[in-house]
Amino acid sequence: MRIEDVARLAGVSPITVSRTINKSDQVVEETRRAVQKAIDRLGYIPNRLAGSLASTRTRVIGLVISTLYSNIFAITVRGMTDTLLTAGYQLSLGVSNDLLEVESAHVRSFLGQRVDGVCLVGGIHDRLVRRALLQSGVPVVEINNLVSDPIDMCVGYSNEEASFAMVRHLANCGYRRIGLVTAPTENNDRSQARRAGYRRALAQLGLPFADSLIGTAPYTVAQGARAFASILSLNPDLDALFLTQDNAAAGAILEAKRRGVRVPGDIGIAGFDDADIGQEMVPALTTVRTHHYEMGATAARMLLRRIDGGAPPHPVVDVGFEIIPRGSTRPPPA
Amino acid sequence: MRIEDVARLAGVSPITVSRTINKSDQVVEETRRAVQKAIDRLGYIPNRLAGSLASTRTRVIGLVISTLYSNIFAITVRGMTDTLLTAGYQLSLGVSNDLLEVESAHVRSFLGQRVDGVCLVGGIHDRLVRRALLQSGVPVVEINNLVSDPIDMCVGYSNEEASFAMVRHLANCGYRRIGLVTAPTENNDRSQARRAGYRRALAQLGLPFADSLIGTAPYTVAQGARAFASILSLNPDLDALFLTQDNAAAGAILEAKRRGVRVPGDIGIAGFDDADIGQEMVPALTTVRTHHYEMGATAARMLLRRIDGGAPPHPVVDVGFEIIPRGSTRPPPA
DNA sequence: CTGAAAGCGCTAACAG
DNA sequence: CTGTTAGCGCTTTCAG
């Protein structure tokens, strides 16, 4: 079924049907109603492949997130879709599972589909993909970090400063032997920045460092529990652990409970992202709050503005972060 | 940049470039290498809008999941993509947030994009969408439930039997006053089935029922905690609560701890899905295990087979479920 | 406000 | 194994 079938039934030309669908204000009410009736009667669904090929616009934004295991991206995605839908744009979602080649495949696919904009997590991407993006001229926004050399635009927060601030907070609460758990650092600039902030804070505060104080745990409660167990066994004098993901931090709290380690008395635990689980833990989780809804909405707005031909006022937007002290760490001295 | 530019640089015709990209076995090695060199040199990315329009195949499967807040779909998505990628297909992901009209919009968009297959969660869909799907002739598979009247094909498990089995298990462990928390039932046949299984089990076992024993909590730990609190306040004699989502059940365990209610001694808690968090809880969560990876992989395989023109052997596949008893419920009598 | 002609970039079908 | 021809179904001009 084609636009022509609808046109015939409605007694108009194909272009009038097209206008009814896409720019209904250019069609007089009566014609429009007749066309709409024909569309409904036939159950006609326009072929967007053809439409986009002719118009060179898809009204689709491609987003590649790194994981579905952390529900934190749910909020960013809502921020983006809320903004995009209002403007008549759609989101196409890819999941990379933190693999650079999977991200590349998604981006290539997006470019092949001729999306009108692309959103990626972080600043580390395949060299060729970067080139392809630049060459294609599509607006690109990188999120979740402050990228030093963005492909195009960027909205996020400083993972290094956030990590630095949390470690300083822990030290202020009296913790001295502080461990760190992040997602793998390979091709992940957020994890790299969080480690850098941690190291810088330890150095500045004169706190002890050892390789055995650092561990790795992607996204899940179980992995956080294991990371906690392993770091504790290597560092019997550990007195705080900062896991830069709330699920993992929740896992650490649970593992502590299982071992009879008191939190925050024996060991303080801190997380990152202010996910919903943190507030519910017993004790509630001290964390870094970041602003994911705002970040998603801003990313969408920046893309839309660039699509409309304008340059955004700030190519790099910092949405900031806050330290949220809760019961999983000792209170700071008054 | 078009295929013609590549063809000119490589000294061949456009169709040879096309064949190099899509059916490389029909091109002799030497030609293929020359074409590939030209492609790489130019950074050419084929326009799939044009390609799919001409070939009437997109090699894209559309999937609409209900939420990003539960990470349980991550596993299903992996099962699907692992299978699809091998066959050269891609997944396009939509999130409905359990709203029928959002699901409809995604399906319409998929149909407009001319996806080669569609996968939906559950059996309740907009009437017009159902019609559009049928009319379009695209293969459709519904997952996460055993749908009585599938649009086309279905792979899932019986939510009613699973719920029934869990309630019987709880009764067998000596619990009498058993409450239930599900996601909202509106337009959600999984929740409806879980309630039906619960009611049927209570009736069959002669256990007491009251409206106040039933609560609602979508997907999050916090909502599970609140649902637990509210049902307990209405039913001081409550001795078990079955929350049909592991995050919510985890929230109930945490809320119990906060209130000094002992689990499983005072109250037994059970969940659904066997998400990673359940094993880590203290006590570990009794749950219903379902097989999400297998379900995703099977759904993908069924779609691919139908795309290849074959009828699948079974239009409805049951991947089953298992009751996993853990520490959050009392052991059954020996 | 509506229509006619031309073309978006690619691939199916057929030829050689 | 490679090329030619003829569209895929829509929208962009440009007229009226």
Side-chain angles (χ1 to χ4, degrees), chain A residues 1 40 42 45-46 48 68-69 71 74 78 90 109 112 114 135 220 222 225 254 257-258 276-277 280, chain B residues 1 42 45-46 48 68-69 71 74 78 90 109 112 114 131 135 220 222 225 254 257-258 276-277 280:
Chain A
M1 181 178 356
D40 292 342
L42 295 172
I45 294 183
R48 290 237 206 133
L68 243 33
Y69 287 92
N71 54 24
R78 271 207 302 113
Q90 266 191 271
S109 162
R114 299 299 189 261
Q135 180 173 338
T220 68
L254 293 166
K257 183 173 167 58
R258 223 173 278 133
D276 119 282
I277 191 174
E280 298 300 320
Chain B
M1 180 176 2
L42 295 173
I45 294 182
R48 289 234 209 138
L68 244 32
Y69 286 91
N71 55 23
R78 272 208 301 112
Q90 268 190 268
S109 163
R114 299 300 190 260
R131 200 187 70 167
Q135 180 173 338
T220 67
L254 293 167
K257 183 175 168 57
R258 225 173 276 133
D276 119 283
I277 191 175
E280 299 299 322

Side-chain angles (χ1 to χ4, degrees), chain A residues 15-277:
Chain A
I15 186 65
T16 300
V17 177
S18 168
R19 284 201 268 251
T20 307
I21 294 167
N22 301 309
K23 337 176 150 176
S24 53
D25 55 329
Q26 288 181 29
V27 178
V28 82
E29 170 70 16
E30 194 192 330
T31 316
R32 190 169 62 213
R33 276 226 309 276
V35 171
Q36 194 55 56
K37 211 172 100 186
I39 289 174
D40 292 342
R41 184 108 72 104
L42 295 172
Y44 170 69
I45 294 183
N47 187 327
R48 290 237 206 133
L49 299 170
S52 295
L53 179 61
S55 67
T56 66
R57 286 182 299 99
T58 51
R59 295 190 162 272
V60 172
I61 301 296
L63 165 67
V64 186
I65 64 177
S66 48
T67 180
L68 243 33
Y69 287 92
S70 158
N71 54 24
I72 203 69
F73 282 114
I75 297 171
T76 310
V77 168
R78 271 207 302 113
M80 288 198 76
T81 47
D82 285 356
T83 304
L84 291 177
L85 285 183
T86 314
Y89 280 72
Q90 266 191 271
L91 193 68
S92 179
L93 189 56
V95 182
S96 73
N97 289 311
D98 274 321
L99 298 172
L100 219 55
E101 69 263 30
V102 176
E103 182 187 73
S104 300
H106 280 298
V107 174
R108 282 177 182 288
S109 162
F110 285 151
L111 255 17
Q113 284 170 58
R114 299 299 189 261
V115 295
D116 293 338
V118 170
C119 179
L120 302 176
V121 174
I124 300 184
H125 314 288
D126 181 272
R127 212 186 73 253
L128 293 174
V129 155
R130 209 184 158 86
R131 200 187 67 168
L133 247 8
L134 249 14
Q135 180 173 338
S136 74
V138 286
V140 177
V141 60
E142 289 159 283
I143 62 173
N144 277 35
N145 202 5
L146 259 22
V147 176
S148 56
D149 178 25
I151 298 173
D152 179 14
M153 304 176 290
C154 167
V155 47
Y157 45 87
S158 171
N159 286 277
E160 177 167 351
E161 293 302 333
S163 180
F164 180 86
M166 176 59 88
V167 174
R168 213 176 36 188
H169 174 77
L170 292 171
N172 190 37
C173 296
Y175 296 108
R176 310 295 299 165
R177 187 76 179 174
I178 302 170
L180 177 75
V181 174
T182 70
T185 51
E186 195 185 3
N187 296 323
N188 184 326
D189 58 341
R190 287 89 62 214
S191 293
Q192 290 168 11
R194 290 171 189 186
R195 292 205 182 184
Y198 163 81
R199 293 295 300 271
R200 184 159 59 84
L202 289 191
Q204 186 166 318
L205 297 161
L207 295 179
F209 173 72
D211 284 338
S212 64
L213 281 171
I214 290 199
T216 286
Y219 312 114
T220 68
V221 178
Q223 285 160 327
R226 280 199 287 276
F228 172 81
S230 132
I231 292 182
L232 184 59
S233 75
L234 296 170
N235 301 272
D237 57 342
L238 187 77
D239 68 359
L241 189 60
F242 175 25
L243 302 99
T244 65
Q245 214 271 323
D246 280 351
N247 277 342
I253 290 180
L254 293 166
E255 181 66 23
K257 183 173 167 58
R258 223 173 278 133
R259 296 172 167 243
V261 174
R262 280 165 311 180
V263 176
D266 297 333
I267 294 192
I269 303 282
F272 200 111
D273 273 343
D274 195 22
D276 119 282
I277 191 174

Side-chain angles (χ1 to χ4, degrees), chain A residues 280 282, chain B residues 224-226 228-229 250-261:
Chain A
E280 298 300 320
V282 182
Chain B
R226 279 200 288 276
F228 172 81
I253 289 179
L254 293 167
E255 181 65 24
K257 183 175 168 57
R258 225 173 276 133
R259 297 173 166 243
V261 173

Side-chain angles (χ1 to χ4, degrees), chain B residues 2-3 18 22-23 44 47 50 54:
Chain B
R2 296 170 314 172
I3 205 169
S18 168
N22 302 308
K23 333 174 151 176
Y44 170 69
N47 186 327

